[in-house]
Amino acid sequence: MAIRKVLKYGEPSLREPSKEVHKVSRKISDLVRDLLDTMYAQNGVGLAAPQIGENVRVFVIDVATGNEPLNPIVFINPKIIKKSGAIESNEGCLSFPEAYTNVRRYKNVMIKAINEHGKSFVMEAKDGTLLARAIQHEYDHLDGILFIDHCINRFETEAILEKYHLPALETDRLLEEKDLEEELGKND
Ligand code: ZN
């Protein structure tokens, strides 16, 4: 168990696709513990393995707040199997200290994964809750996608990155998201 260094935007691991886990081995259990220790130490809501330099398909989330008891959820080899609706969300990331920007997300997701005991589970998160958004954010990390790739206003996002001395927006990575854009337009 250890608190690991969280890689910052610009480090290559954050853009590399992660590999599937073949077995929930001792090594994976140790990684899960390190992810949780590091996430709690940084007061994060979620943390994905590539953020600590391990390109394997594992992430952790805990959306408990205030006096609620800790509620860590471990996702190994996750697959988002259903998604619908759209929501605008102000997001940040432990790899982007202090930088927040508005992004598009699905409102509802259903995810299938393996937990830390090697058991398969399905989880549904609805109504654009923090859990629903965190699942999508962390899941993206496993494919080298970052929250800024989903940004609604690229100029605003560029200014925020500059303000916090982070590398520039990689505009070639911006996602199209026509479906989410249309869905959000309907809500206006
Ligand atoms: Zn993140």
Side-chain angles (χ1 to χ4, degrees):
M1 289 191 279
I3 294 169
R4 305 269 292 265
K5 189 182 153 216
V6 177
L7 301 183
K8 301 288 179 293
Y9 176 46
E11 301 254 18
S13 267
L14 292 174
R15 285 305 196 181
E16 276 163 29
S18 290
K19 291 196 174 75
E20 293 263 325
V21 171
H22 294 297
K23 187 173 170 249
V24 184
S25 59
R26 173 77 191 272
K27 215 179 130 195
I28 294 297
S29 304
D30 288 348
L31 169 66
V32 165
R33 258 178 310 204
D34 284 0
L35 282 169
L36 289 169
D37 287 348
T38 308
M39 176 181 74
Y40 289 127
Q42 304 271 339
N43 296 313
V45 166
L47 190 64
Q51 290 180 276
I52 58 168
E54 308 266 4
N55 284 99
V56 289
R57 303 188 74 83
V58 179
F59 66 76
V60 298
I61 288 178
D62 190 338
V63 292
T65 53
N67 293 327
E68 287 170 13
L70 294 183
N71 183 28
I73 314 169
V74 176
F75 300 80
I76 300 170
N77 294 345
K79 294 249 167 359
I80 291 182
I81 50 178
K82 237 159 85 177
K83 48 194 185 185
S84 64
I87 191 170
E88 190 177 327
S89 158
N90 191 249
E91 276 181 33
C93 175
L94 290 177
S95 297
F96 293 73
E98 298 181 86
Y100 288 80
T101 198
N102 288 321
V103 299
R104 299 180 194 95
R105 293 291 183 193
Y106 291 97
K107 210 176 214 171
N108 314 299
V109 289
M110 194 185 273
I111 189 167
K112 192 181 166 193
I114 295 167
N115 70 11
E116 67 275 35
H117 309 296
K119 206 167 170 271
S120 175
F121 68 96
V122 173
M123 180 176 276
E124 206 172 1
K126 289 181 156 186
D127 300 323
T129 52
L130 182 56
L131 178 62
R133 290 177 281 127
I135 285 172
Q136 295 171 71
H137 178 118
E138 300 310 329
Y139 185 84
D140 273 352
H141 274 299
L142 307 185
D143 294 320
I145 298 168
L146 301 171
F147 78 112
I148 51 168
D149 303 340
H150 292 274
C151 74
I152 291 172
N153 186 328
R154 60 175 278 189
F155 303 106
E156 200 177 272
T157 307
E158 275 170 342
I160 290 162
L161 291 175
E162 202 185 319
K163 181 176 172 199
Y164 293 107
H165 310 289
L166 287 159
L169 190 66
E170 296 163 82
T171 50
D172 55 321
R173 291 192 186 262
L174 289 173
L175 298 161
E176 279 263 2
E177 306 185 308
K178 286 262 187 304
D179 55 336
L180 287 176
E181 210 173 319
E182 269 173 40
E183 191 80 19
L184 283 171
K186 277 191 237 164
N187 300 337
D188 288 346

